[in-house]
Amino acid sequence: MRVLLTTLNAKYIHVNLALRYLRACCRDLPHTFILDEFTINDHPEHIAAAIYRYRPDLVAFSCYIWNIDPTLAVIQILKTVRPDLPILCGGPEVSFDTAAFLAQNPQVDLVITGEGEIPFRALMEQLAGQQHLPAGGREEPISASIARPAAERLAPGPVPDPAAIPGLAWRQGGEVVVNPPAPLPSNLDAIPFPYQEDLHAAGNDLRQRTVYYETSRGCPFACGFCLSSATEGLRYFSLERVRDDLERLLKAGVREIKFVDRTFNAHKKRALAIWEFLLSRRPRARFYFEIAGDRLDEEMLAHLNQVPPGLFQFEIGVQTIDAGVNVLCNRRQDWERLAANVRRLREMENIRLHLDLIAGLPGETYAGVGKSFDAVAALKPHEIQLGFLKLLKGTSLRARAGEFGYRFIDRPPYEVLASSTITYEEMLRLHSVETLLRHYGNSHLADHALAYLAATAFGGSCFTLYETLAAWWEARGLLRRGHRQRDLFELLAAFAAGLSGPAGMARPAAPGEPYLEEPGAQREAGHPTPPGAVWPERFYPLTARQLDRFYQLLKFDFLYRDRSRNYPGWMPPSPLTQEERSNCMAQITAPRSIEKYMPELAKETPANLRRHGFIELFPCHPERPEQDESTLVFFYYGPPGSETRVYCLPLIEIEPQTF
């Protein structure tokens, strides 16, 4: 029997771990298992054609909120050309409200709910026509907890006895039958290593993809918005098994491993042991962990201080800093401790930090989201994700939607539109803020200029800066377009000009007045200010000196990003003459100066430094813009594709005759 295991991933680089577990649990059965993955960006017609050409006897789809709609489109095409082809679905999106899903989608024949290893194994045994088979093709034996015997009686249909398979939903005549759930595998080590076939395949494309791996199942928390709350308790793979699996992946040259444990540091000693093992292997791979930031202690922080830069990335779910909102979500979090730990991690400068927020949580207002945003932004993580609450099937918040006045899209991804404490208009504003956050904040396109603008014009509030910038974009129809990097700099320069009136005489706007027009500017034709696009937050007008300082910082950010030397019109002119620039370059690229100021570039020849470098004089140090501190900056771009390196040199260090 030819069984095709497939899914539509969000990106090509992702791999589906669930399908590989199912394949691994059935290696000994006399079926031909074909695993092929597509993406949500592929056309359903092309996916269906590829599946059809495999001539499968059964197709199993892994279903999530991000892929269920295109998956059903693929299934509809397959059923049109092969009505007899059995279709099996599994995954989080079909594990809840399963009867309704089958009733609404007659093209789907079977659904496996929950963790799939036990029911899928039982199903494959039935289709193989026997209960137990010799484990000739396996490295690890399947324990009795995984290899469930099938019943002996037969029934008509594609599955001999569907009633005997736990966790299976199926059709009996015109009725949908949902069997009792399958027991959860208690001994996770009985589940075979899922990537064996990938590592043995010619070419081993795992080296170019993100490999998902888990060391545990379950979560110590029961947050009302998370599917992990649907199961209780934590189960672990043994440390011996984890070390063995990771060793195999690293030896195979895997470059990126994402641990999908819901809270990786829930068990301190295990987390430390795994981190220690990874460090001992001196890997070239990168590792991603989802952790609870407030569960780090001094021992863990001391251990993390030894991690080489670029090896680890932490995703920390803050979601909100409001303790009352957390209570409504059945969520425990010590914000003060979390913030202190993030500050410690930032000081180490060796671990990339990604912090999450969720807009739309029960009881949280628009202002509350802004307060959480500013608190997280103050920690200076490498990335802030402003997400939006989704009322997932099986979560307690979905069951309590009426209690909190939720209005949400009742189809994937089930996103909240409004609640009793936040309006739809406010949620739209937050979506605009998220767009600008992606363009500027998370890309780090203009960090220095934006930080200065937030401090001077918006009282230190990054959230107010982003929402005001978003209103300015919305008024000009900019949110509905794509933008090049150079455009983003141009727009930020124009926005700042609108915060200062003629000759620096800007004034705050009166309530309701559209206060973000550049002096003398006309609104773009066809794009009048939409209702609600300008909201009542005030800004502090920039003086002429502050605006000039902002442009200097924007110039610094631009030069860091753009090596073309095709300078935009807003950029302040250089104070250096060509002769002064040449003299500075000759002095800075001399061996003695390289050794003193730029030892990392000691292997580069002076000629190469001059070819790939650029010098500019600024009236301030980019990290201390409020002070008048003339600073000579050397930008070393390196060959194309290299990351820019920046060296700031106090002017007093340069020989006077240079100027």
Side-chain angles (χ1 to χ4, degrees):
M1 184 174 185
R2 293 170 64 81
V3 180
L4 177 65
L5 302 169
T6 189
T7 193
L8 280 65
N9 293 322
K11 298 179 181 178
Y12 166 76
I13 61 170
H14 297 169
V15 297
N16 186 283
L17 178 58
L19 295 180
R20 287 165 169 81
Y21 275 140
L22 300 183
R23 178 179 63 182
C25 285
C26 298
R27 284 181 184 139
D28 61 309
L29 296 179
H31 300 300
T32 298
F33 289 97
I34 305 161
L35 195 153
D36 197 359
E37 297 167 281
F38 304 92
T39 78
I40 56 176
N41 298 314
D42 297 328
H43 292 291
E45 296 85 354
H46 297 165
I47 299 172
I51 292 173
Y52 176 84
R53 292 188 181 105
Y54 281 117
R55 300 294 191 268
D57 299 304
L58 181 145
V59 182
F61 289 89
S62 186
C63 303
Y64 305 84
I65 57 171
W66 67 79
N67 74 4
I68 187 63
D69 286 342
T71 295
L72 290 172
V74 172
I75 293 171
Q76 187 62 58
I77 296 170
L78 289 172
K79 279 294 193 178
T80 300
V81 295
R82 280 197 58 186
D84 62 326
L85 177 62
I87 300 294
L88 168 67
C89 288
E93 180 52 27
V94 298
S95 290
F96 303 92
D97 296 341
T98 306
F101 171 79
L102 279 172
Q104 294 162 8
N105 297 281
Q107 69 271 36
V108 178
D109 300 293
L110 304 164
V111 167
I112 283 179
T113 63
E115 296 181 25
E117 289 89 359
I118 289 175
F120 187 76
R121 169 77 189 193
L123 175 61
M124 292 298 104
E125 285 182 346
Q126 279 205 23
L127 295 177
Q130 53 188 357
Q131 296 182 21
H132 297 290
L133 295 169
R138 296 178 39 78
E139 290 186 3
E140 307 90 345
I142 295 181
S143 72
S145 66
I146 298 295
R148 292 280 173 176
E152 295 181 358
R153 68 186 190 279
L154 300 179
V159 181
D161 188 9
I165 299 174
L168 185 71
W170 50 289
R171 302 179 190 279
Q172 188 172 43
E175 300 296 324
V176 172
V177 180
V178 180
N179 294 345
L184 298 178
S186 57
N187 176 20
L188 294 185
D189 282 3
I191 302 174
F193 176 63
Y195 291 106
Q196 177 181 315
E197 287 82 357
D198 297 274
L199 299 186
H200 291 172
N204 180 19
D205 72 344
L206 290 185
R207 283 174 289 203
Q208 283 75 47
R209 303 177 73 182
T210 300
V211 172
Y212 290 86
Y213 183 78
E214 63 181 355
T215 74
S216 64
R217 291 185 181 180
C219 183
F221 306 111
C223 303
F225 48 78
C226 181
L227 273 180
S228 294
S229 63
T231 58
E232 294 183 5
L234 268 167
R235 290 163 290 143
Y236 296 99
F237 288 88
S238 68
L239 281 174
E240 292 75 19
R241 162 65 185 273
V242 170
R243 293 188 184 105
D244 181 63
D245 287 355
L246 293 174
E247 185 75 41
R248 295 169 74 174
L249 291 171
L250 292 175
K251 284 184 176 179
V254 168
R255 293 298 186 89
E256 194 164 87
I257 298 177
K258 185 168 185 177
F259 289 79
V260 295
D261 304 65
R262 301 308 300 163
T263 307
F264 183 82
N265 61 328
H267 191 302
K268 172 184 169 180
K269 290 185 178 180
R270 278 180 58 89
L272 285 171
I274 295 169
W275 287 338
E276 180 65 36
F277 171 79
L278 293 175
L279 292 179
S280 72
R281 292 302 180 266
R282 302 178 182 272
R284 299 178 63 185
R286 296 185 298 271
F287 305 96
Y288 298 79
F289 306 91
E290 187 171 335
I291 70 165
D294 55 349
R295 291 177 74 115
L296 296 174
D297 62 14
E298 286 298 323
E299 182 181 1
M300 300 182 91
L301 289 167
H303 187 84
L304 292 170
N305 196 31
Q306 306 169 33
V307 174
L311 192 66
F312 286 2
Q313 173 173 308
F314 286 168
E315 181 174 342
I316 300 174
V318 177
Q319 321 310 8
T320 179
I321 68 167
D322 190 313
V325 173
N326 275 325
V327 169
L328 293 176
C329 296
N330 192 34
R331 191 165 182 273
R332 303 190 305 274
Q333 176 176 272
D334 185 337
W335 161 245
E336 296 301 328
R337 183 173 180 180
L338 185 154
N341 286 340
V342 170
R343 282 191 286 268
R344 289 278 298 278
L345 292 170
R346 279 299 278 137
E347 290 170 1
M348 297 176 192
E349 297 186 340
N350 60 339
I351 296 174
R352 182 174 175 82
L353 301 174
H354 171 119
L355 271 58
D356 292 336
L357 291 168
I358 297 178
L361 294 174
E364 188 152 59
T365 63
Y366 177 83
V369 176
K371 183 177 180 181
S372 292
F373 187 100
D374 277 336
V376 168
L379 300 177
K380 301 185 184 306
H382 300 90
E383 186 173 356
I384 300 173
Q385 179 175 316
L386 177 57
F388 296 86
L389 180 63
K390 296 169 179 60
L391 297 185
L392 303 176
K393 295 177 182 179
T395 61
S396 63
L397 281 188
R398 185 181 177 104
R400 301 169 66 193
E403 177 183 346
F404 301 115
Y406 278 127
R407 301 176 188 177
F408 65 101
I409 302 172
D410 195 19
R411 57 177 176 76
Y414 312 112
E415 188 168 293
V416 164
L417 303 174
S419 73
S420 57
T421 54
I422 193 165
T423 68
Y424 180 50
E425 180 179 311
E426 289 170 334
M427 291 293 276
L428 291 177
R429 295 179 190 174
L430 292 172
H431 276 282
S432 298
V433 168
E434 192 272 335
T435 298
L436 272 297
L437 177 64
R438 281 189 286 108
H439 280 313
Y440 288 106
N442 290 337
S443 70
H444 300 282
L445 187 73
D447 281 353
H448 297 84
L450 282 172
Y452 182 76
L453 201 60
T456 54
F458 296 98
S461 171
C462 290
F463 181 75
T464 305
L465 164 59
Y466 278 115
E467 66 171 349
T468 309
L469 180 58
W472 189 85
W473 273 49
E474 178 66 27
R476 288 152 183 77
L478 298 170
L479 291 169
R480 297 190 294 274
R481 306 179 194 171
H483 300 280
R484 300 174 304 165
Q485 177 176 287
R486 193 178 185 89
D487 296 334
L488 294 173
F489 279 106
E490 294 278 1
L491 291 169
L492 192 56
F495 170 73
L499 301 178
S500 177
M505 298 300 291
R507 60 174 178 79
E513 181 182 0
Y515 58 89
L516 285 178
E517 291 293 348
E518 301 95 322
Q522 296 296 317
R523 206 174 286 283
E524 184 176 341
H527 292 291
T529 304
V534 179
W535 30 92
E537 280 72 20
R538 305 275 65 80
F539 68 88
Y540 300 94
L542 294 176
T543 65
R545 180 184 180 279
Q546 288 173 331
L547 184 61
D548 177 71
R549 190 55 50 96
F550 165 82
Y551 281 132
Q552 293 288 345
L553 293 167
L554 192 63
K555 176 181 179 178
F556 174 87
D557 291 327
F558 181 86
L559 291 175
Y560 179 85
R561 289 280 186 169
D562 192 304
R563 63 176 71 195
S564 68
R565 304 190 189 179
N566 178 20
Y567 304 132
W570 57 262
M571 183 181 286
S574 175
L576 296 177
T577 66
Q578 191 59 43
E579 181 181 2
E580 290 170 338
R581 189 183 303 280
S582 297
N583 290 339
C584 283
M585 183 66 82
Q587 182 177 339
I588 291 173
T589 57
R592 184 181 62 180
S593 296
I594 295 172
E595 182 180 355
K596 181 176 182 180
Y597 300 122
M598 304 175 290
E600 302 89 349
L601 303 179
K603 294 183 179 179
E604 301 288 344
T605 64
N608 205 36
L609 292 174
R610 290 192 290 270
R611 183 182 306 112
H612 296 298
F614 182 75
I615 285 178
E616 185 56 290
L617 180 64
F618 291 88
C620 62
H621 191 289
E623 305 298 337
R624 298 182 291 274
E626 69 285 349
Q627 302 175 16
D628 292 328
E629 183 182 352
S630 294
T631 303
L632 197 65
V633 179
F634 178 65
F635 299 88
Y636 181 65
Y637 300 113
S642 304
E643 184 175 351
T644 304
R645 299 187 184 186
V646 175
Y647 300 90
C648 297
L649 311 173
L651 200 59
I652 57 173
E653 299 282 346
I654 308 301
E655 295 180 7
Q657 63 266 29
T658 302
F659 298 98

